[in-house]
Amino acid sequence: MLVLLRISIGWHFHSEGTSKYQQGDWDAAPFFANAKGPFADQYHALVWDHDGAVRRDPEYTKWWLGQYRDRAAEYYSFGEREKKQAAAALEKLITNLNLLLQDYANDLEEYDLGRKRLETLKEDDARTGVESLAGQIETVQKENQAKIRPLLAEIDQLWSGYEGTINSLAAPNQRAASPPFRLRRPRSAMIDTSVMNRIVPYFDMTIGWCLILGLFTPVAALAAAGFLGSVFLGQFPPGTGPTSSYYQLIECMACLVLASTGAGRFAGLDFFLHLLVRKSEADRADAI
């Protein structure tokens, strides 16, 4: 039963990781943005540019996208003609960004005022300690975030269009010979979803293969338990029904069972690792 449990959980992680990898544009931001519970603020802060500070700054945007343009020019060996077109595309993006900021000026002002109001509400212990009042803070936070979401979505479209324009400047044979030059997002924190989006698919696949093969099972199972536990805490307290996060908690507990029972030594590669360790310890004992 331990072998079946190990392989089942391993296959779950492997299939999830493979799906995220094949999707290509998988994004952890929706999960963190919709987190609730006592650690909601910490989860929200992990969303890349959650307050739009990066995307709302024309000067920083111009600098960052200019860096991307220069790297793309080197990647594709652009000539003077392509470099001028790339520079013109960036100027057009900045112009459109400024127009968007003007169009959404009132919403941005309300959003910034709403953030200050939320900070005041969260500092009130009387509100955070009462469930109904804490729910009111969560409602206000969602309403405030909705004010900036349309603007950020339009800015994201500008960035995506700019990325497509830069790659389209390459000659057909260059695009056929090389993968597209991706526009990476600047980090808004040491660890945010721009980093997690690249790591999590490989993390899931690695954990999956380790559990399926029974290789480094205690380490892999503890890592899986920590991951699932963080998912559960992000939706605490969990609801009921098909979208409940209780199944992550149950799978987390199952991973702890795998980590504490040496499940990889049963029909797994950990058997041979354990054998080598025991042989080494026996040889050391004989030498003494």
Side-chain angles (χ1 to χ4, degrees), residues 20 26-37 39-48 138 142 193 196-197 200 226-236 238 243-248:
K20 293 181 178 72
W26 176 80
D27 190 4
F31 167 77
F32 288 101
N34 293 311
K36 61 181 182 179
F39 304 105
D41 288 342
Q42 288 78 4
Y43 280 83
H44 296 161
L46 291 173
V47 178
W48 176 76
E138 184 177 342
K142 288 182 178 179
T193 52
M196 296 179 190
N197 293 344
V200 170
F227 176 81
L228 292 166
S230 68
V231 173
F232 174 76
L233 289 176
Q235 298 299 319
F236 187 86
T243 60
S244 173
S245 61
Y246 273 119
Y247 92 86
Q248 282 103 347

mmCIF file of all heavy atoms in Angstrom, residues 20 26-37 39-48 138 142 193 196-197 200 226-236 238 243-248:
data_model
loop_
_atom_site.group_PDB
_atom_site.id
_atom_site.type_symbol
_atom_site.label_atom_id
_atom_site.label_comp_id
_atom_site.label_asym_id
_atom_site.label_seq_id
_atom_site.Cartn_x
_atom_site.Cartn_y
_atom_site.Cartn_z
ATOM 1 N N LYS A 20 1.715 21.971 -16.652
ATOM 2 C CA LYS A 20 2.174 23.363 -16.534
ATOM 3 C C LYS A 20 3.268 23.663 -17.552
ATOM 4 O O LYS A 20 3.288 24.740 -18.168
ATOM 5 C CB LYS A 20 2.697 23.628 -15.121
ATOM 6 C CG LYS A 20 1.639 23.593 -14.026
ATOM 7 C CD LYS A 20 2.260 23.880 -12.670
ATOM 8 C CE LYS A 20 1.229 23.893 -11.539
ATOM 9 N NZ LYS A 20 0.745 22.556 -11.217
ATOM 10 N N TRP A 26 1.802 29.115 -18.025
ATOM 11 C CA TRP A 26 1.176 28.891 -16.720
ATOM 12 C C TRP A 26 1.601 29.984 -15.760
ATOM 13 O O TRP A 26 2.753 30.418 -15.743
ATOM 14 C CB TRP A 26 1.577 27.530 -16.168
ATOM 15 C CG TRP A 26 1.046 27.285 -14.785
ATOM 16 C CD1 TRP A 26 -0.209 26.887 -14.441
ATOM 17 C CD2 TRP A 26 1.749 27.465 -13.545
ATOM 18 N NE1 TRP A 26 -0.338 26.804 -13.074
ATOM 19 C CE2 TRP A 26 0.849 27.154 -12.498
ATOM 20 C CE3 TRP A 26 3.042 27.860 -13.223
ATOM 21 C CZ2 TRP A 26 1.216 27.218 -11.160
ATOM 22 C CZ3 TRP A 26 3.409 27.927 -11.895
ATOM 23 C CH2 TRP A 26 2.507 27.603 -10.875
ATOM 24 N N ASP A 27 0.645 30.445 -14.957
ATOM 25 C CA ASP A 27 0.896 31.574 -14.070
ATOM 26 C C ASP A 27 0.330 31.267 -12.691
ATOM 27 O O ASP A 27 -0.847 30.906 -12.563
ATOM 28 C CB ASP A 27 0.263 32.841 -14.640
ATOM 29 C CG ASP A 27 0.683 34.098 -13.893
ATOM 30 O OD1 ASP A 27 1.519 33.996 -12.984
ATOM 31 O OD2 ASP A 27 0.176 35.176 -14.234
ATOM 32 N N ALA A 28 1.157 31.409 -11.662
ATOM 33 C CA ALA A 28 0.713 31.171 -10.291
ATOM 34 C C ALA A 28 -0.001 32.370 -9.691
ATOM 35 O O ALA A 28 -0.550 32.277 -8.595
ATOM 36 C CB ALA A 28 1.923 30.809 -9.413
ATOM 37 N N ALA A 29 -0.001 33.500 -10.408
ATOM 38 C CA ALA A 29 -0.550 34.743 -9.845
ATOM 39 C C ALA A 29 -2.012 34.613 -9.403
ATOM 40 O O ALA A 29 -2.362 35.122 -8.323
ATOM 41 C CB ALA A 29 -0.388 35.882 -10.843
ATOM 42 N N PRO A 30 -2.910 33.978 -10.180
ATOM 43 C CA PRO A 30 -4.309 33.914 -9.724
ATOM 44 C C PRO A 30 -4.473 33.246 -8.358
ATOM 45 O O PRO A 30 -5.294 33.689 -7.542
ATOM 46 C CB PRO A 30 -5.006 33.104 -10.832
ATOM 47 C CG PRO A 30 -4.177 33.368 -12.046
ATOM 48 C CD PRO A 30 -2.773 33.442 -11.552
ATOM 49 N N PHE A 31 -3.699 32.191 -8.102
ATOM 50 C CA PHE A 31 -3.804 31.522 -6.804
ATOM 51 C C PHE A 31 -3.400 32.459 -5.677
ATOM 52 O O PHE A 31 -4.114 32.602 -4.676
ATOM 53 C CB PHE A 31 -2.929 30.267 -6.771
ATOM 54 C CG PHE A 31 -2.748 29.701 -5.389
ATOM 55 C CD1 PHE A 31 -3.757 28.966 -4.793
ATOM 56 C CD2 PHE A 31 -1.582 29.930 -4.669
ATOM 57 C CE1 PHE A 31 -3.604 28.463 -3.500
ATOM 58 C CE2 PHE A 31 -1.415 29.434 -3.394
ATOM 59 C CZ PHE A 31 -2.424 28.695 -2.801
ATOM 60 N N PHE A 32 -2.258 33.118 -5.818
ATOM 61 C CA PHE A 32 -1.785 33.997 -4.759
ATOM 62 C C PHE A 32 -2.672 35.236 -4.622
ATOM 63 O O PHE A 32 -2.886 35.726 -3.521
ATOM 64 C CB PHE A 32 -0.341 34.402 -5.019
ATOM 65 C CG PHE A 32 0.644 33.294 -4.804
ATOM 66 C CD1 PHE A 32 1.178 32.591 -5.864
ATOM 67 C CD2 PHE A 32 1.032 32.935 -3.524
ATOM 68 C CE1 PHE A 32 2.075 31.571 -5.665
ATOM 69 C CE2 PHE A 32 1.931 31.909 -3.305
ATOM 70 C CZ PHE A 32 2.458 31.218 -4.380
ATOM 71 N N ALA A 33 -3.178 35.741 -5.744
ATOM 72 C CA ALA A 33 -4.026 36.934 -5.691
ATOM 73 C C ALA A 33 -5.345 36.660 -4.974
ATOM 74 O O ALA A 33 -5.919 37.560 -4.367
ATOM 75 C CB ALA A 33 -4.294 37.438 -7.104
ATOM 76 N N ASN A 34 -5.839 35.410 -5.046
ATOM 77 C CA ASN A 34 -7.116 35.060 -4.428
ATOM 78 C C ASN A 34 -6.947 34.370 -3.080
ATOM 79 O O ASN A 34 -7.920 33.813 -2.547
ATOM 80 C CB ASN A 34 -7.912 34.141 -5.364
ATOM 81 C CG ASN A 34 -8.341 34.858 -6.630
ATOM 82 O OD1 ASN A 34 -8.880 35.955 -6.578
ATOM 83 N ND2 ASN A 34 -8.088 34.250 -7.782
ATOM 84 N N ALA A 35 -5.734 34.398 -2.538
ATOM 85 C CA ALA A 35 -5.497 33.758 -1.245
ATOM 86 C C ALA A 35 -6.320 34.444 -0.157
ATOM 87 O O ALA A 35 -6.595 35.642 -0.222
ATOM 88 C CB ALA A 35 -4.018 33.811 -0.898
ATOM 89 N N LYS A 36 -6.693 33.681 0.841
ATOM 90 C CA LYS A 36 -7.447 34.218 1.961
ATOM 91 C C LYS A 36 -6.887 33.637 3.252
ATOM 92 O O LYS A 36 -6.001 32.773 3.226
ATOM 93 C CB LYS A 36 -8.938 33.867 1.831
ATOM 94 C CG LYS A 36 -9.219 32.369 1.810
ATOM 95 C CD LYS A 36 -10.703 32.089 1.656
ATOM 96 C CE LYS A 36 -10.976 30.578 1.698
ATOM 97 N NZ LYS A 36 -12.420 30.271 1.579
ATOM 98 N N GLY A 37 -7.400 34.108 4.371
ATOM 99 C CA GLY A 37 -6.949 33.581 5.645
ATOM 100 C C GLY A 37 -5.913 34.467 6.306
ATOM 101 O O GLY A 37 -5.617 35.570 5.843
ATOM 102 N N PHE A 39 -2.743 34.439 6.408
ATOM 103 C CA PHE A 39 -1.515 34.745 5.684
ATOM 104 C C PHE A 39 -1.788 35.372 4.319
ATOM 105 O O PHE A 39 -0.922 35.381 3.453
ATOM 106 C CB PHE A 39 -0.688 33.465 5.497
ATOM 107 C CG PHE A 39 -0.364 32.761 6.782
ATOM 108 C CD1 PHE A 39 -1.029 31.590 7.136
ATOM 109 C CD2 PHE A 39 0.584 33.270 7.657
ATOM 110 C CE1 PHE A 39 -0.746 30.941 8.321
ATOM 111 C CE2 PHE A 39 0.875 32.627 8.847
ATOM 112 C CZ PHE A 39 0.207 31.450 9.179
ATOM 113 N N ALA A 40 -2.996 35.891 4.142
ATOM 114 C CA ALA A 40 -3.392 36.413 2.832
ATOM 115 C C ALA A 40 -2.467 37.525 2.353
ATOM 116 O O ALA A 40 -2.075 37.560 1.180
ATOM 117 C CB ALA A 40 -4.835 36.900 2.881
ATOM 118 N N ASP A 41 -2.114 38.448 3.237
ATOM 119 C CA ASP A 41 -1.270 39.572 2.827
ATOM 120 C C ASP A 41 0.081 39.090 2.311
ATOM 121 O O ASP A 41 0.610 39.624 1.331
ATOM 122 C CB ASP A 41 -1.058 40.532 3.999
ATOM 123 C CG ASP A 41 -2.322 41.317 4.336
ATOM 124 O OD1 ASP A 41 -3.224 41.363 3.474
ATOM 125 O OD2 ASP A 41 -2.394 41.867 5.443
ATOM 126 N N GLN A 42 0.649 38.091 2.991
ATOM 127 C CA GLN A 42 1.940 37.559 2.554
ATOM 128 C C GLN A 42 1.825 36.890 1.182
ATOM 129 O O GLN A 42 2.722 37.016 0.336
ATOM 130 C CB GLN A 42 2.477 36.553 3.579
ATOM 131 C CG GLN A 42 2.965 37.171 4.884
ATOM 132 C CD GLN A 42 1.838 37.544 5.831
ATOM 133 O OE1 GLN A 42 0.666 37.278 5.552
ATOM 134 N NE2 GLN A 42 2.192 38.165 6.944
ATOM 135 N N TYR A 43 0.721 36.197 0.957
ATOM 136 C CA TYR A 43 0.510 35.552 -0.343
ATOM 137 C C TYR A 43 0.293 36.595 -1.436
ATOM 138 O O TYR A 43 0.827 36.465 -2.543
ATOM 139 C CB TYR A 43 -0.687 34.598 -0.278
ATOM 140 C CG TYR A 43 -0.379 33.258 0.342
ATOM 141 C CD1 TYR A 43 -0.373 33.086 1.724
ATOM 142 C CD2 TYR A 43 -0.096 32.149 -0.439
ATOM 143 C CE1 TYR A 43 -0.088 31.868 2.296
ATOM 144 C CE2 TYR A 43 0.184 30.917 0.121
ATOM 145 C CZ TYR A 43 0.194 30.773 1.495
ATOM 146 O OH TYR A 43 0.479 29.564 2.065
ATOM 147 N N HIS A 44 -0.500 37.612 -1.140
ATOM 148 C CA HIS A 44 -0.754 38.658 -2.131
ATOM 149 C C HIS A 44 0.532 39.362 -2.535
ATOM 150 O O HIS A 44 0.716 39.722 -3.710
ATOM 151 C CB HIS A 44 -1.747 39.684 -1.569
ATOM 152 C CG HIS A 44 -3.102 39.120 -1.297
ATOM 153 N ND1 HIS A 44 -4.016 39.732 -0.463
ATOM 154 C CD2 HIS A 44 -3.702 37.991 -1.738
ATOM 155 C CE1 HIS A 44 -5.114 39.012 -0.398
ATOM 156 N NE2 HIS A 44 -4.959 37.950 -1.163
ATOM 157 N N ALA A 45 1.430 39.540 -1.570
ATOM 158 C CA ALA A 45 2.691 40.232 -1.857
ATOM 159 C C ALA A 45 3.589 39.424 -2.792
ATOM 160 O O ALA A 45 4.521 39.982 -3.387
ATOM 161 C CB ALA A 45 3.430 40.538 -0.560
ATOM 162 N N LEU A 46 3.326 38.126 -2.935
ATOM 163 C CA LEU A 46 4.128 37.280 -3.818
ATOM 164 C C LEU A 46 3.704 37.395 -5.280
ATOM 165 O O LEU A 46 4.407 36.887 -6.162
ATOM 166 C CB LEU A 46 4.031 35.812 -3.376
ATOM 167 C CG LEU A 46 4.705 35.474 -2.042
ATOM 168 C CD1 LEU A 46 4.395 34.037 -1.643
ATOM 169 C CD2 LEU A 46 6.210 35.678 -2.128
ATOM 170 N N VAL A 47 2.566 38.028 -5.528
ATOM 171 C CA VAL A 47 2.126 38.239 -6.913
ATOM 172 C C VAL A 47 3.033 39.283 -7.560
ATOM 173 O O VAL A 47 3.276 40.351 -6.995
ATOM 174 C CB VAL A 47 0.662 38.709 -6.966
ATOM 175 C CG1 VAL A 47 0.234 38.980 -8.409
ATOM 176 C CG2 VAL A 47 -0.248 37.662 -6.334
ATOM 177 N N TRP A 48 3.532 38.957 -8.732
ATOM 178 C CA TRP A 48 4.425 39.884 -9.405
ATOM 179 C C TRP A 48 3.724 41.217 -9.648
ATOM 180 O O TRP A 48 2.628 41.261 -10.188
ATOM 181 C CB TRP A 48 4.895 39.317 -10.745
ATOM 182 C CG TRP A 48 5.753 40.293 -11.499
ATOM 183 C CD1 TRP A 48 7.053 40.606 -11.249
ATOM 184 C CD2 TRP A 48 5.354 41.121 -12.599
ATOM 185 N NE1 TRP A 48 7.496 41.563 -12.121
ATOM 186 C CE2 TRP A 48 6.473 41.900 -12.966
ATOM 187 C CE3 TRP A 48 4.165 41.274 -13.305
ATOM 188 C CZ2 TRP A 48 6.436 42.821 -14.013
ATOM 189 C CZ3 TRP A 48 4.135 42.195 -14.341
ATOM 190 C CH2 TRP A 48 5.255 42.952 -14.682
ATOM 191 N N GLU A 138 -11.506 41.920 3.740
ATOM 192 C CA GLU A 138 -11.241 41.134 2.533
ATOM 193 C C GLU A 138 -12.093 41.628 1.367
ATOM 194 O O GLU A 138 -11.627 41.719 0.226
ATOM 195 C CB GLU A 138 -11.529 39.657 2.807
ATOM 196 C CG GLU A 138 -11.205 38.738 1.642
ATOM 197 C CD GLU A 138 -11.446 37.282 1.975
ATOM 198 O OE1 GLU A 138 -11.530 36.955 3.185
ATOM 199 O OE2 GLU A 138 -11.549 36.474 1.047
ATOM 200 N N LYS A 142 -10.723 43.269 -2.211
ATOM 201 C CA LYS A 142 -11.072 42.777 -3.542
ATOM 202 C C LYS A 142 -11.654 43.892 -4.410
ATOM 203 O O LYS A 142 -11.333 43.987 -5.601
ATOM 204 C CB LYS A 142 -12.066 41.617 -3.424
ATOM 205 C CG LYS A 142 -11.459 40.331 -2.897
ATOM 206 C CD LYS A 142 -12.484 39.214 -2.852
ATOM 207 C CE LYS A 142 -11.857 37.922 -2.365
ATOM 208 N NZ LYS A 142 -12.851 36.813 -2.300
ATOM 209 N N THR A 193 5.918 35.685 -8.274
ATOM 210 C CA THR A 193 5.389 34.711 -9.227
ATOM 211 C C THR A 193 6.165 34.681 -10.539
ATOM 212 O O THR A 193 6.110 33.679 -11.252
ATOM 213 C CB THR A 193 3.904 35.002 -9.522
ATOM 214 O OG1 THR A 193 3.751 36.380 -9.914
ATOM 215 C CG2 THR A 193 3.049 34.740 -8.298
ATOM 216 N N MET A 196 8.467 31.954 -9.570
ATOM 217 C CA MET A 196 7.768 30.693 -9.342
ATOM 218 C C MET A 196 7.242 30.074 -10.627
ATOM 219 O O MET A 196 7.217 28.848 -10.776
ATOM 220 C CB MET A 196 6.604 30.923 -8.376
ATOM 221 C CG MET A 196 7.029 31.354 -6.994
ATOM 222 S SD MET A 196 5.593 31.618 -5.937
ATOM 223 C CE MET A 196 6.363 32.398 -4.530
ATOM 224 N N ASN A 197 6.809 30.908 -11.561
ATOM 225 C CA ASN A 197 6.259 30.389 -12.812
ATOM 226 C C ASN A 197 7.277 29.545 -13.561
ATOM 227 O O ASN A 197 6.913 28.619 -14.298
ATOM 228 C CB ASN A 197 5.793 31.541 -13.704
ATOM 229 C CG ASN A 197 4.599 32.268 -13.124
ATOM 230 O OD1 ASN A 197 3.933 31.765 -12.226
ATOM 231 N ND2 ASN A 197 4.326 33.455 -13.630
ATOM 232 N N VAL A 200 8.139 26.144 -10.603
ATOM 233 C CA VAL A 200 7.139 25.173 -10.147
ATOM 234 C C VAL A 200 6.936 24.006 -11.114
ATOM 235 O O VAL A 200 6.851 22.849 -10.668
ATOM 236 C CB VAL A 200 5.797 25.884 -9.849
ATOM 237 C CG1 VAL A 200 4.684 24.861 -9.611
ATOM 238 C CG2 VAL A 200 5.949 26.775 -8.627
ATOM 239 N N GLY A 226 5.499 20.166 2.154
ATOM 240 C CA GLY A 226 5.606 21.607 2.366
ATOM 241 C C GLY A 226 4.873 22.392 1.301
ATOM 242 O O GLY A 226 4.188 23.384 1.599
ATOM 243 N N PHE A 227 4.997 21.946 0.059
ATOM 244 C CA PHE A 227 4.312 22.621 -1.051
ATOM 245 C C PHE A 227 2.799 22.537 -0.877
ATOM 246 O O PHE A 227 2.089 23.545 -0.981
ATOM 247 C CB PHE A 227 4.742 21.980 -2.366
ATOM 248 C CG PHE A 227 4.053 22.522 -3.573
ATOM 249 C CD1 PHE A 227 4.472 23.708 -4.156
ATOM 250 C CD2 PHE A 227 2.976 21.859 -4.137
ATOM 251 C CE1 PHE A 227 3.834 24.214 -5.274
ATOM 252 C CE2 PHE A 227 2.330 22.354 -5.255
ATOM 253 C CZ PHE A 227 2.761 23.539 -5.829
ATOM 254 N N LEU A 228 2.291 21.337 -0.610
ATOM 255 C CA LEU A 228 0.851 21.152 -0.458
ATOM 256 C C LEU A 228 0.322 21.891 0.774
ATOM 257 O O LEU A 228 -0.784 22.433 0.757
ATOM 258 C CB LEU A 228 0.533 19.660 -0.356
ATOM 259 C CG LEU A 228 0.775 18.851 -1.628
ATOM 260 C CD1 LEU A 228 0.757 17.358 -1.321
ATOM 261 C CD2 LEU A 228 -0.269 19.184 -2.683
ATOM 262 N N GLY A 229 1.136 21.907 1.840
ATOM 263 C CA GLY A 229 0.727 22.639 3.035
ATOM 264 C C GLY A 229 0.588 24.123 2.763
ATOM 265 O O GLY A 229 -0.341 24.776 3.260
ATOM 266 N N SER A 230 1.500 24.683 1.946
ATOM 267 C CA SER A 230 1.403 26.108 1.616
ATOM 268 C C SER A 230 0.169 26.393 0.766
ATOM 269 O O SER A 230 -0.458 27.449 0.905
ATOM 270 C CB SER A 230 2.670 26.557 0.879
ATOM 271 O OG SER A 230 2.763 25.962 -0.405
ATOM 272 N N VAL A 231 -0.189 25.453 -0.103
ATOM 273 C CA VAL A 231 -1.398 25.612 -0.907
ATOM 274 C C VAL A 231 -2.632 25.615 -0.002
ATOM 275 O O VAL A 231 -3.544 26.441 -0.157
ATOM 276 C CB VAL A 231 -1.508 24.493 -1.961
ATOM 277 C CG1 VAL A 231 -2.858 24.561 -2.680
ATOM 278 C CG2 VAL A 231 -0.375 24.606 -2.974
ATOM 279 N N PHE A 232 -2.647 24.709 0.968
ATOM 280 C CA PHE A 232 -3.784 24.624 1.885
ATOM 281 C C PHE A 232 -3.913 25.902 2.712
ATOM 282 O O PHE A 232 -5.013 26.439 2.884
ATOM 283 C CB PHE A 232 -3.615 23.414 2.803
ATOM 284 C CG PHE A 232 -4.663 23.318 3.886
ATOM 285 C CD1 PHE A 232 -5.944 22.887 3.584
ATOM 286 C CD2 PHE A 232 -4.366 23.662 5.191
ATOM 287 C CE1 PHE A 232 -6.925 22.809 4.569
ATOM 288 C CE2 PHE A 232 -5.329 23.589 6.188
ATOM 289 C CZ PHE A 232 -6.605 23.155 5.879
ATOM 290 N N LEU A 233 -2.791 26.420 3.217
ATOM 291 C CA LEU A 233 -2.835 27.626 4.037
ATOM 292 C C LEU A 233 -3.272 28.845 3.235
ATOM 293 O O LEU A 233 -3.817 29.796 3.793
ATOM 294 C CB LEU A 233 -1.458 27.889 4.657
ATOM 295 C CG LEU A 233 -1.030 26.931 5.764
ATOM 296 C CD1 LEU A 233 0.386 27.247 6.221
ATOM 297 C CD2 LEU A 233 -1.990 26.978 6.940
ATOM 298 N N GLY A 234 -3.037 28.809 1.915
ATOM 299 C CA GLY A 234 -3.453 29.920 1.080
ATOM 300 C C GLY A 234 -4.961 29.996 0.891
ATOM 301 O O GLY A 234 -5.468 31.017 0.403
ATOM 302 N N GLN A 235 -5.674 28.940 1.254
ATOM 303 C CA GLN A 235 -7.140 28.928 1.147
ATOM 304 C C GLN A 235 -7.781 28.556 2.477
ATOM 305 O O GLN A 235 -8.740 27.806 2.538
ATOM 306 C CB GLN A 235 -7.571 27.933 0.050
ATOM 307 C CG GLN A 235 -7.081 28.269 -1.332
ATOM 308 C CD GLN A 235 -7.592 29.604 -1.822
ATOM 309 O OE1 GLN A 235 -8.753 29.951 -1.625
ATOM 310 N NE2 GLN A 235 -6.725 30.387 -2.454
ATOM 311 N N PHE A 236 -7.190 29.076 3.558
ATOM 312 C CA PHE A 236 -7.669 28.743 4.891
ATOM 313 C C PHE A 236 -8.596 29.845 5.425
ATOM 314 O O PHE A 236 -8.272 31.033 5.275
ATOM 315 C CB PHE A 236 -6.473 28.563 5.833
ATOM 316 C CG PHE A 236 -6.843 28.067 7.197
ATOM 317 C CD1 PHE A 236 -6.961 26.722 7.438
ATOM 318 C CD2 PHE A 236 -7.078 28.967 8.228
ATOM 319 C CE1 PHE A 236 -7.297 26.267 8.697
ATOM 320 C CE2 PHE A 236 -7.434 28.524 9.487
ATOM 321 C CZ PHE A 236 -7.546 27.166 9.719
ATOM 322 N N PRO A 238 -10.703 26.323 4.653
ATOM 323 C CA PRO A 238 -11.221 25.784 3.388
ATOM 324 C C PRO A 238 -12.733 25.664 3.396
ATOM 325 O O PRO A 238 -13.355 25.485 4.447
ATOM 326 C CB PRO A 238 -10.560 24.399 3.313
ATOM 327 C CG PRO A 238 -10.347 24.028 4.750
ATOM 328 C CD PRO A 238 -10.033 25.306 5.471
ATOM 329 N N THR A 243 -14.419 22.379 -5.007
ATOM 330 C CA THR A 243 -13.260 23.278 -5.036
ATOM 331 C C THR A 243 -12.565 23.364 -3.674
ATOM 332 O O THR A 243 -11.675 24.190 -3.497
ATOM 333 C CB THR A 243 -13.699 24.691 -5.470
ATOM 334 O OG1 THR A 243 -14.672 25.196 -4.538
ATOM 335 C CG2 THR A 243 -14.292 24.664 -6.869
ATOM 336 N N SER A 244 -12.959 22.527 -2.727
ATOM 337 C CA SER A 244 -12.365 22.566 -1.398
ATOM 338 C C SER A 244 -10.885 22.218 -1.461
ATOM 339 O O SER A 244 -10.448 21.401 -2.287
ATOM 340 C CB SER A 244 -13.093 21.592 -0.477
ATOM 341 O OG SER A 244 -12.430 21.502 0.773
ATOM 342 N N SER A 245 -10.111 22.844 -0.583
ATOM 343 C CA SER A 245 -8.674 22.562 -0.534
ATOM 344 C C SER A 245 -8.339 21.480 0.479
ATOM 345 O O SER A 245 -7.159 21.264 0.782
ATOM 346 C CB SER A 245 -7.907 23.845 -0.194
ATOM 347 O OG SER A 245 -8.299 24.342 1.077
ATOM 348 N N TYR A 246 -9.341 20.779 0.997
ATOM 349 C CA TYR A 246 -9.063 19.715 1.960
ATOM 350 C C TYR A 246 -8.224 18.607 1.328
ATOM 351 O O TYR A 246 -7.453 17.945 2.016
ATOM 352 C CB TYR A 246 -10.364 19.128 2.499
ATOM 353 C CG TYR A 246 -10.905 19.867 3.700
ATOM 354 C CD1 TYR A 246 -12.155 20.478 3.646
ATOM 355 C CD2 TYR A 246 -10.172 19.963 4.881
ATOM 356 C CE1 TYR A 246 -12.651 21.171 4.745
ATOM 357 C CE2 TYR A 246 -10.674 20.659 5.969
ATOM 358 C CZ TYR A 246 -11.908 21.258 5.898
ATOM 359 O OH TYR A 246 -12.394 21.944 6.981
ATOM 360 N N TYR A 247 -8.388 18.387 0.024
ATOM 361 C CA TYR A 247 -7.647 17.288 -0.589
ATOM 362 C C TYR A 247 -6.145 17.565 -0.571
ATOM 363 O O TYR A 247 -5.334 16.641 -0.451
ATOM 364 C CB TYR A 247 -8.155 17.015 -2.012
ATOM 365 C CG TYR A 247 -7.433 17.740 -3.111
ATOM 366 C CD1 TYR A 247 -6.273 17.203 -3.669
ATOM 367 C CD2 TYR A 247 -7.912 18.949 -3.608
ATOM 368 C CE1 TYR A 247 -5.617 17.871 -4.684
ATOM 369 C CE2 TYR A 247 -7.250 19.611 -4.613
ATOM 370 C CZ TYR A 247 -6.103 19.066 -5.157
ATOM 371 O OH TYR A 247 -5.436 19.725 -6.161
ATOM 372 N N GLN A 248 -5.739 18.865 -0.632
ATOM 373 C CA GLN A 248 -4.319 19.170 -0.506
ATOM 374 C C GLN A 248 -3.807 18.823 0.886
ATOM 375 O O GLN A 248 -2.685 18.345 1.048
ATOM 376 C CB GLN A 248 -4.044 20.647 -0.794
ATOM 377 C CG GLN A 248 -4.046 21.002 -2.268
ATOM 378 C CD GLN A 248 -5.316 21.704 -2.671
ATOM 379 O OE1 GLN A 248 -6.287 21.708 -1.924
ATOM 380 N NE2 GLN A 248 -5.333 22.303 -3.846
#
